Amino acid sequence: MKTKTLHMPKFLFAMALTIFLGASTASAVMAADQQLDAIHADNEVTCDDCHAGTDQRSAVPMIKCLECHDTAALAEETADLKPTNPHKNRHYSTETDCNLCHHQHQKSENFCLPCHVRFDFNVP
């Protein structure tokens, strides 16, 4: 993942702001069809913030995502999505591996769709 180094308080503020802007921000991001590496870069997150001490080509484990993203808060934010909340589901509760849907350097995908055709979510 290619991003920039940032001080943690500034980064946490940027991530909190992104989360709390809610549906309007998500719609704008989805409309732009922007990949998550660009979104992270726009928020001054660097490659080293996620890949520090590892091969830049290796996948970032979910535990790294959890340093900035709170799965319980995300599940609350998406609680009204229909027909079900993708961030609190019967398979993994709130601990679905972020990487199943959200990809950094390629288009994200709806991991649920192959089995659940009615779960037609837009995935940023």
Side-chain angles (χ1 to χ4, degrees), residues 41 55 69:
D55 175 5
H69 301 278

mmCIF file of all heavy atoms in Angstrom, residues 41 55 69:
data_model
loop_
_atom_site.group_PDB
_atom_site.id
_atom_site.type_symbol
_atom_site.label_atom_id
_atom_site.label_comp_id
_atom_site.label_asym_id
_atom_site.label_seq_id
_atom_site.Cartn_x
_atom_site.Cartn_y
_atom_site.Cartn_z
ATOM 1 N N ALA A 41 -4.277 8.095 1.074
ATOM 2 C CA ALA A 41 -3.272 9.113 0.730
ATOM 3 C C ALA A 41 -3.840 10.514 0.899
ATOM 4 O O ALA A 41 -3.154 11.415 1.397
ATOM 5 C CB ALA A 41 -2.769 8.900 -0.696
ATOM 6 N N ASP A 55 7.512 -6.100 3.878
ATOM 7 C CA ASP A 55 7.613 -5.950 2.433
ATOM 8 C C ASP A 55 6.397 -5.150 1.970
ATOM 9 O O ASP A 55 5.262 -5.498 2.291
ATOM 10 C CB ASP A 55 7.623 -7.343 1.796
ATOM 11 C CG ASP A 55 7.600 -7.303 0.274
ATOM 12 O OD1 ASP A 55 7.667 -6.209 -0.322
ATOM 13 O OD2 ASP A 55 7.516 -8.392 -0.316
ATOM 14 N N HIS A 69 -9.425 1.913 12.665
ATOM 15 C CA HIS A 69 -10.845 1.707 12.399
ATOM 16 C C HIS A 69 -11.468 0.842 13.489
ATOM 17 O O HIS A 69 -10.970 -0.242 13.771
ATOM 18 C CB HIS A 69 -11.040 1.028 11.039
ATOM 19 C CG HIS A 69 -10.476 1.814 9.901
ATOM 20 N ND1 HIS A 69 -11.153 2.858 9.324
ATOM 21 C CD2 HIS A 69 -9.300 1.703 9.234
ATOM 22 C CE1 HIS A 69 -10.419 3.365 8.343
ATOM 23 N NE2 HIS A 69 -9.292 2.678 8.272
#
